[in-house]
Amino acid sequence: NYQGLAWVLDCEGSIYIKKRKRTKTARGDYQACIQISMCDKIFLIKMQKEFKCGLININHRSKNNLKHRDIYGWLIQRHEDVEKILKNVYPYLIIKKKKAEIIIKFLKFRGGLKRKNTKGRYEKFPKSIWNKYENYFQQVRKLTPIPNQRRHYG
């Protein structure tokens, strides 16, 4: 039920492009992600089973404050899964519609690129490709409100 998923994603979820930095062992990359976090583990497990993708993780809250509860997250980061879900929930999104539109374009651009050469190794992309990735990343970032920032409605 993509309409219900869109509602949950608009209210409790995040869609974003994650920037992974280059290190000595990792090549650095940009990755689209969907994450829904809440205290209800059972609901997230049902969603994971229905849509057949993603991982459930847990963030343990402080044991010093008994009012705090554990938070569970459903994280989807496989390219094909993120693309399928965003394309299907897009017509029903309200709040995150513009973000979804940009990320769908990012995924389409990224999916059209072939990275493996004949030896099975990843080729380095030219600077122009990385600049395009960074552009998508910055577009999505601009749409994300900064925590504790005053918002004026009117």
Side-chain angles (χ1 to χ4, degrees), residues 116-145:
K116 288 195 177 180
N117 63 18
T118 55
K119 295 177 183 174
R121 295 184 178 199
Y122 287 102
E123 294 180 3
K124 289 185 177 180
F125 282 141
K127 187 84 170 159
S128 61
I129 301 289
W130 290 111
N131 289 342
K132 187 95 169 160
Y133 281 174
E134 182 66 21
N135 184 32
Y136 284 118
F137 173 77
Q138 291 300 332
Q139 286 180 55
V140 171
R141 193 172 183 187
K142 284 179 187 173
L143 295 173
T144 304

mmCIF file of all heavy atoms in Angstrom, residues 116-145:
data_model
loop_
_atom_site.group_PDB
_atom_site.id
_atom_site.type_symbol
_atom_site.label_atom_id
_atom_site.label_comp_id
_atom_site.label_asym_id
_atom_site.label_seq_id
_atom_site.Cartn_x
_atom_site.Cartn_y
_atom_site.Cartn_z
ATOM 1 N N LYS A 116 31.934 -0.462 -13.669
ATOM 2 C CA LYS A 116 32.891 -1.563 -13.731
ATOM 3 C C LYS A 116 33.531 -1.648 -15.118
ATOM 4 O O LYS A 116 32.861 -1.553 -16.124
ATOM 5 C CB LYS A 116 32.204 -2.883 -13.388
ATOM 6 C CG LYS A 116 31.866 -2.995 -11.928
ATOM 7 C CD LYS A 116 31.543 -4.403 -11.531
ATOM 8 C CE LYS A 116 31.295 -4.436 -10.033
ATOM 9 N NZ LYS A 116 30.973 -5.752 -9.556
ATOM 10 N N ASN A 117 34.828 -1.840 -15.112
ATOM 11 C CA ASN A 117 35.523 -2.047 -16.377
ATOM 12 C C ASN A 117 35.634 -3.543 -16.644
ATOM 13 O O ASN A 117 35.078 -4.356 -15.923
ATOM 14 C CB ASN A 117 36.899 -1.353 -16.355
ATOM 15 C CG ASN A 117 37.825 -1.925 -15.300
ATOM 16 O OD1 ASN A 117 37.614 -3.027 -14.797
ATOM 17 N ND2 ASN A 117 38.851 -1.177 -14.945
ATOM 18 N N THR A 118 36.377 -3.918 -17.654
ATOM 19 C CA THR A 118 36.461 -5.328 -18.041
ATOM 20 C C THR A 118 37.161 -6.193 -16.998
ATOM 21 O O THR A 118 36.965 -7.391 -16.965
ATOM 22 C CB THR A 118 37.206 -5.467 -19.383
ATOM 23 O OG1 THR A 118 38.480 -4.823 -19.258
ATOM 24 C CG2 THR A 118 36.403 -4.853 -20.503
ATOM 25 N N LYS A 119 37.980 -5.592 -16.135
ATOM 26 C CA LYS A 119 38.683 -6.361 -15.113
ATOM 27 C C LYS A 119 37.858 -6.501 -13.837
ATOM 28 O O LYS A 119 38.319 -7.036 -12.847
ATOM 29 C CB LYS A 119 40.016 -5.695 -14.782
ATOM 30 C CG LYS A 119 40.967 -5.697 -15.958
ATOM 31 C CD LYS A 119 42.241 -4.977 -15.615
ATOM 32 C CE LYS A 119 43.136 -4.920 -16.835
ATOM 33 N NZ LYS A 119 44.331 -4.108 -16.601
ATOM 34 N N GLY A 120 36.622 -5.996 -13.819
ATOM 35 C CA GLY A 120 35.763 -6.109 -12.659
ATOM 36 C C GLY A 120 36.042 -5.069 -11.585
ATOM 37 O O GLY A 120 35.493 -5.131 -10.508
ATOM 38 N N ARG A 121 36.901 -4.113 -11.879
ATOM 39 C CA ARG A 121 37.208 -3.059 -10.918
ATOM 40 C C ARG A 121 36.386 -1.820 -11.235
ATOM 41 O O ARG A 121 35.961 -1.616 -12.352
ATOM 42 C CB ARG A 121 38.687 -2.696 -10.968
ATOM 43 C CG ARG A 121 39.565 -3.832 -10.534
ATOM 44 C CD ARG A 121 40.984 -3.390 -10.507
ATOM 45 N NE ARG A 121 41.818 -4.493 -10.039
ATOM 46 C CZ ARG A 121 43.016 -4.320 -9.580
ATOM 47 N NH1 ARG A 121 43.542 -3.128 -9.523
ATOM 48 N NH2 ARG A 121 43.713 -5.353 -9.165
ATOM 49 N N TYR A 122 36.194 -1.012 -10.206
ATOM 50 C CA TYR A 122 35.454 0.222 -10.399
ATOM 51 C C TYR A 122 36.339 1.287 -11.036
ATOM 52 O O TYR A 122 37.461 1.515 -10.600
ATOM 53 C CB TYR A 122 34.913 0.747 -9.063
ATOM 54 C CG TYR A 122 33.765 -0.060 -8.553
ATOM 55 C CD1 TYR A 122 33.938 -0.986 -7.543
ATOM 56 C CD2 TYR A 122 32.494 0.099 -9.098
ATOM 57 C CE1 TYR A 122 32.873 -1.743 -7.074
ATOM 58 C CE2 TYR A 122 31.426 -0.648 -8.642
ATOM 59 C CZ TYR A 122 31.624 -1.565 -7.634
ATOM 60 O OH TYR A 122 30.567 -2.299 -7.183
ATOM 61 N N GLU A 123 35.809 1.916 -12.067
ATOM 62 C CA GLU A 123 36.534 3.011 -12.713
ATOM 63 C C GLU A 123 36.273 4.297 -11.940
ATOM 64 O O GLU A 123 35.229 4.466 -11.332
ATOM 65 C CB GLU A 123 36.041 3.188 -14.150
ATOM 66 C CG GLU A 123 36.355 2.016 -15.046
ATOM 67 C CD GLU A 123 35.843 2.241 -16.463
ATOM 68 O OE1 GLU A 123 35.309 3.323 -16.746
ATOM 69 O OE2 GLU A 123 35.979 1.313 -17.263
ATOM 70 N N LYS A 124 37.219 5.208 -12.016
ATOM 71 C CA LYS A 124 37.017 6.515 -11.407
ATOM 72 C C LYS A 124 36.181 7.365 -12.349
ATOM 73 O O LYS A 124 36.413 7.376 -13.555
ATOM 74 C CB LYS A 124 38.358 7.196 -11.143
ATOM 75 C CG LYS A 124 39.137 6.550 -10.031
ATOM 76 C CD LYS A 124 40.390 7.345 -9.737
ATOM 77 C CE LYS A 124 41.131 6.725 -8.567
ATOM 78 N NZ LYS A 124 42.348 7.447 -8.248
ATOM 79 N N PHE A 125 35.205 8.051 -11.780
ATOM 80 C CA PHE A 125 34.393 8.948 -12.584
ATOM 81 C C PHE A 125 35.134 10.258 -12.801
ATOM 82 O O PHE A 125 35.889 10.704 -11.934
ATOM 83 C CB PHE A 125 33.073 9.261 -11.885
ATOM 84 C CG PHE A 125 32.052 8.168 -11.992
ATOM 85 C CD1 PHE A 125 31.240 7.871 -10.921
ATOM 86 C CD2 PHE A 125 31.882 7.456 -13.155
ATOM 87 C CE1 PHE A 125 30.288 6.880 -11.011
ATOM 88 C CE2 PHE A 125 30.934 6.462 -13.255
ATOM 89 C CZ PHE A 125 30.137 6.169 -12.177
ATOM 90 N N PRO A 126 34.877 10.913 -13.926
ATOM 91 C CA PRO A 126 35.464 12.238 -14.127
ATOM 92 C C PRO A 126 34.878 13.246 -13.135
ATOM 93 O O PRO A 126 33.806 13.019 -12.557
ATOM 94 C CB PRO A 126 35.080 12.604 -15.561
ATOM 95 C CG PRO A 126 34.230 11.514 -16.073
ATOM 96 C CD PRO A 126 34.119 10.443 -15.047
ATOM 97 N N LYS A 127 35.561 14.340 -12.951
ATOM 98 C CA LYS A 127 35.151 15.392 -12.014
ATOM 99 C C LYS A 127 33.739 15.887 -12.329
ATOM 100 O O LYS A 127 32.972 16.210 -11.428
ATOM 101 C CB LYS A 127 36.161 16.537 -12.083
ATOM 102 C CG LYS A 127 35.971 17.603 -11.075
ATOM 103 C CD LYS A 127 36.630 17.210 -9.787
ATOM 104 C CE LYS A 127 36.636 18.399 -8.842
ATOM 105 N NZ LYS A 127 36.784 17.995 -7.473
ATOM 106 N N SER A 128 33.362 15.923 -13.597
ATOM 107 C CA SER A 128 32.030 16.421 -13.988
ATOM 108 C C SER A 128 30.907 15.564 -13.396
ATOM 109 O O SER A 128 29.856 16.083 -13.011
ATOM 110 C CB SER A 128 31.899 16.472 -15.507
ATOM 111 O OG SER A 128 32.052 15.179 -16.055
ATOM 112 N N ILE A 129 31.135 14.253 -13.291
ATOM 113 C CA ILE A 129 30.130 13.354 -12.703
ATOM 114 C C ILE A 129 30.006 13.633 -11.216
ATOM 115 O O ILE A 129 28.904 13.744 -10.680
ATOM 116 C CB ILE A 129 30.505 11.868 -12.938
ATOM 117 C CG1 ILE A 129 30.611 11.557 -14.419
ATOM 118 C CG2 ILE A 129 29.528 10.945 -12.228
ATOM 119 C CD1 ILE A 129 29.325 11.540 -15.185
ATOM 120 N N TRP A 130 31.162 13.749 -10.519
ATOM 121 C CA TRP A 130 31.137 14.039 -9.088
ATOM 122 C C TRP A 130 30.472 15.383 -8.824
ATOM 123 O O TRP A 130 29.753 15.543 -7.833
ATOM 124 C CB TRP A 130 32.535 14.001 -8.479
ATOM 125 C CG TRP A 130 33.088 12.616 -8.421
ATOM 126 C CD1 TRP A 130 34.124 12.133 -9.158
ATOM 127 C CD2 TRP A 130 32.614 11.533 -7.629
ATOM 128 N NE1 TRP A 130 34.331 10.802 -8.860
ATOM 129 C CE2 TRP A 130 33.418 10.410 -7.924
ATOM 130 C CE3 TRP A 130 31.593 11.381 -6.701
ATOM 131 C CZ2 TRP A 130 33.236 9.172 -7.324
ATOM 132 C CZ3 TRP A 130 31.405 10.152 -6.096
ATOM 133 C CH2 TRP A 130 32.220 9.060 -6.412
ATOM 134 N N ASN A 131 30.685 16.357 -9.695
ATOM 135 C CA ASN A 131 30.047 17.673 -9.546
ATOM 136 C C ASN A 131 28.530 17.561 -9.675
ATOM 137 O O ASN A 131 27.778 18.229 -8.966
ATOM 138 C CB ASN A 131 30.598 18.664 -10.564
ATOM 139 C CG ASN A 131 32.028 19.068 -10.257
ATOM 140 O OD1 ASN A 131 32.510 18.890 -9.143
ATOM 141 N ND2 ASN A 131 32.713 19.593 -11.255
ATOM 142 N N LYS A 132 28.085 16.713 -10.585
ATOM 143 C CA LYS A 132 26.643 16.495 -10.761
ATOM 144 C C LYS A 132 26.051 15.840 -9.502
ATOM 145 O O LYS A 132 24.986 16.235 -9.033
ATOM 146 C CB LYS A 132 26.412 15.612 -11.994
ATOM 147 C CG LYS A 132 24.990 15.442 -12.379
ATOM 148 C CD LYS A 132 24.581 16.418 -13.428
ATOM 149 C CE LYS A 132 23.225 16.018 -13.963
ATOM 150 N NZ LYS A 132 22.554 17.092 -14.608
ATOM 151 N N TYR A 133 26.751 14.829 -8.966
ATOM 152 C CA TYR A 133 26.312 14.201 -7.715
ATOM 153 C C TYR A 133 26.217 15.233 -6.600
ATOM 154 O O TYR A 133 25.244 15.275 -5.842
ATOM 155 C CB TYR A 133 27.300 13.115 -7.274
ATOM 156 C CG TYR A 133 27.200 11.787 -7.984
ATOM 157 C CD1 TYR A 133 28.134 10.797 -7.742
ATOM 158 C CD2 TYR A 133 26.175 11.508 -8.882
ATOM 159 C CE1 TYR A 133 28.064 9.563 -8.364
ATOM 160 C CE2 TYR A 133 26.095 10.286 -9.511
ATOM 161 C CZ TYR A 133 27.035 9.317 -9.254
ATOM 162 O OH TYR A 133 26.947 8.104 -9.867
ATOM 163 N N GLU A 134 27.241 16.064 -6.484
ATOM 164 C CA GLU A 134 27.268 17.090 -5.435
ATOM 165 C C GLU A 134 26.113 18.074 -5.613
ATOM 166 O O GLU A 134 25.504 18.526 -4.638
ATOM 167 C CB GLU A 134 28.608 17.824 -5.449
ATOM 168 C CG GLU A 134 28.758 18.873 -4.384
ATOM 169 C CD GLU A 134 28.787 18.338 -2.954
ATOM 170 O OE1 GLU A 134 29.086 17.153 -2.736
ATOM 171 O OE2 GLU A 134 28.501 19.138 -2.032
ATOM 172 N N ASN A 135 25.790 18.390 -6.845
ATOM 173 C CA ASN A 135 24.674 19.293 -7.131
ATOM 174 C C ASN A 135 23.355 18.713 -6.626
ATOM 175 O O ASN A 135 22.569 19.410 -5.972
ATOM 176 C CB ASN A 135 24.604 19.576 -8.634
ATOM 177 C CG ASN A 135 23.528 20.572 -8.978
ATOM 178 O OD1 ASN A 135 23.229 21.479 -8.203
ATOM 179 N ND2 ASN A 135 22.936 20.420 -10.148
ATOM 180 N N TYR A 136 23.098 17.436 -6.905
ATOM 181 C CA TYR A 136 21.885 16.782 -6.391
ATOM 182 C C TYR A 136 21.883 16.780 -4.861
ATOM 183 O O TYR A 136 20.870 17.056 -4.226
ATOM 184 C CB TYR A 136 21.776 15.336 -6.897
ATOM 185 C CG TYR A 136 21.330 15.214 -8.334
ATOM 186 C CD1 TYR A 136 22.155 14.624 -9.288
ATOM 187 C CD2 TYR A 136 20.085 15.667 -8.752
ATOM 188 C CE1 TYR A 136 21.763 14.487 -10.609
ATOM 189 C CE2 TYR A 136 19.680 15.534 -10.072
ATOM 190 C CZ TYR A 136 20.523 14.949 -10.992
ATOM 191 O OH TYR A 136 20.111 14.820 -12.301
ATOM 192 N N PHE A 137 23.034 16.452 -4.268
ATOM 193 C CA PHE A 137 23.178 16.428 -2.811
ATOM 194 C C PHE A 137 22.821 17.794 -2.214
ATOM 195 O O PHE A 137 22.067 17.882 -1.243
ATOM 196 C CB PHE A 137 24.621 16.035 -2.462
ATOM 197 C CG PHE A 137 24.955 16.119 -0.998
ATOM 198 C CD1 PHE A 137 24.534 15.147 -0.116
ATOM 199 C CD2 PHE A 137 25.705 17.182 -0.512
ATOM 200 C CE1 PHE A 137 24.854 15.221 1.232
ATOM 201 C CE2 PHE A 137 26.023 17.267 0.834
ATOM 202 C CZ PHE A 137 25.594 16.284 1.702
ATOM 203 N N GLN A 138 23.343 18.876 -2.807
ATOM 204 C CA GLN A 138 23.094 20.225 -2.287
ATOM 205 C C GLN A 138 21.627 20.643 -2.473
ATOM 206 O O GLN A 138 21.061 21.327 -1.616
ATOM 207 C CB GLN A 138 24.031 21.240 -2.953
ATOM 208 C CG GLN A 138 25.484 21.083 -2.559
ATOM 209 C CD GLN A 138 25.740 21.250 -1.080
ATOM 210 O OE1 GLN A 138 25.034 21.940 -0.365
ATOM 211 N NE2 GLN A 138 26.782 20.584 -0.591
ATOM 212 N N GLN A 139 21.007 20.236 -3.588
ATOM 213 C CA GLN A 139 19.584 20.557 -3.811
ATOM 214 C C GLN A 139 18.713 19.948 -2.713
ATOM 215 O O GLN A 139 17.814 20.608 -2.190
ATOM 216 C CB GLN A 139 19.128 20.036 -5.174
ATOM 217 C CG GLN A 139 19.618 20.827 -6.360
ATOM 218 C CD GLN A 139 19.108 20.217 -7.646
ATOM 219 O OE1 GLN A 139 17.911 20.022 -7.824
ATOM 220 N NE2 GLN A 139 20.023 19.906 -8.561
ATOM 221 N N VAL A 140 18.972 18.691 -2.385
ATOM 222 C CA VAL A 140 18.193 18.014 -1.343
ATOM 223 C C VAL A 140 18.487 18.643 0.015
ATOM 224 O O VAL A 140 17.584 18.866 0.816
ATOM 225 C CB VAL A 140 18.483 16.493 -1.329
ATOM 226 C CG1 VAL A 140 17.865 15.822 -0.127
ATOM 227 C CG2 VAL A 140 17.980 15.855 -2.610
ATOM 228 N N ARG A 141 19.738 18.947 0.249
ATOM 229 C CA ARG A 141 20.141 19.535 1.529
ATOM 230 C C ARG A 141 19.456 20.879 1.773
ATOM 231 O O ARG A 141 19.075 21.199 2.901
ATOM 232 C CB ARG A 141 21.658 19.696 1.538
ATOM 233 C CG ARG A 141 22.225 19.994 2.873
ATOM 234 C CD ARG A 141 23.721 19.950 2.815
ATOM 235 N NE ARG A 141 24.256 20.169 4.138
ATOM 236 C CZ ARG A 141 25.513 20.309 4.396
ATOM 237 N NH1 ARG A 141 26.392 20.250 3.424
ATOM 238 N NH2 ARG A 141 25.932 20.502 5.615
ATOM 239 N N LYS A 142 19.294 21.671 0.725
ATOM 240 C CA LYS A 142 18.622 22.975 0.860
ATOM 241 C C LYS A 142 17.165 22.833 1.285
ATOM 242 O O LYS A 142 16.611 23.713 1.920
ATOM 243 C CB LYS A 142 18.690 23.750 -0.458
ATOM 244 C CG LYS A 142 20.024 24.359 -0.736
ATOM 245 C CD LYS A 142 20.019 25.095 -2.061
ATOM 246 C CE LYS A 142 21.420 25.565 -2.419
ATOM 247 N NZ LYS A 142 21.474 26.140 -3.763
ATOM 248 N N LEU A 143 16.553 21.710 0.936
ATOM 249 C CA LEU A 143 15.153 21.472 1.285
ATOM 250 C C LEU A 143 14.985 20.899 2.696
ATOM 251 O O LEU A 143 13.869 20.765 3.171
ATOM 252 C CB LEU A 143 14.512 20.518 0.274
ATOM 253 C CG LEU A 143 14.390 21.049 -1.144
ATOM 254 C CD1 LEU A 143 13.908 19.955 -2.076
ATOM 255 C CD2 LEU A 143 13.468 22.247 -1.204
ATOM 256 N N THR A 144 16.090 20.551 3.341
ATOM 257 C CA THR A 144 16.040 19.967 4.681
ATOM 258 C C THR A 144 16.161 21.072 5.715
ATOM 259 O O THR A 144 17.154 21.791 5.729
ATOM 260 C CB THR A 144 17.187 18.954 4.869
ATOM 261 O OG1 THR A 144 17.102 17.983 3.837
ATOM 262 C CG2 THR A 144 17.110 18.279 6.219
ATOM 263 N N PRO A 145 15.153 21.243 6.581
ATOM 264 C CA PRO A 145 15.255 22.279 7.611
ATOM 265 C C PRO A 145 16.392 21.980 8.588
ATOM 266 O O PRO A 145 16.642 20.828 8.917
ATOM 267 C CB PRO A 145 13.916 22.236 8.329
ATOM 268 C CG PRO A 145 13.158 21.104 7.774
ATOM 269 C CD PRO A 145 13.932 20.498 6.647
#
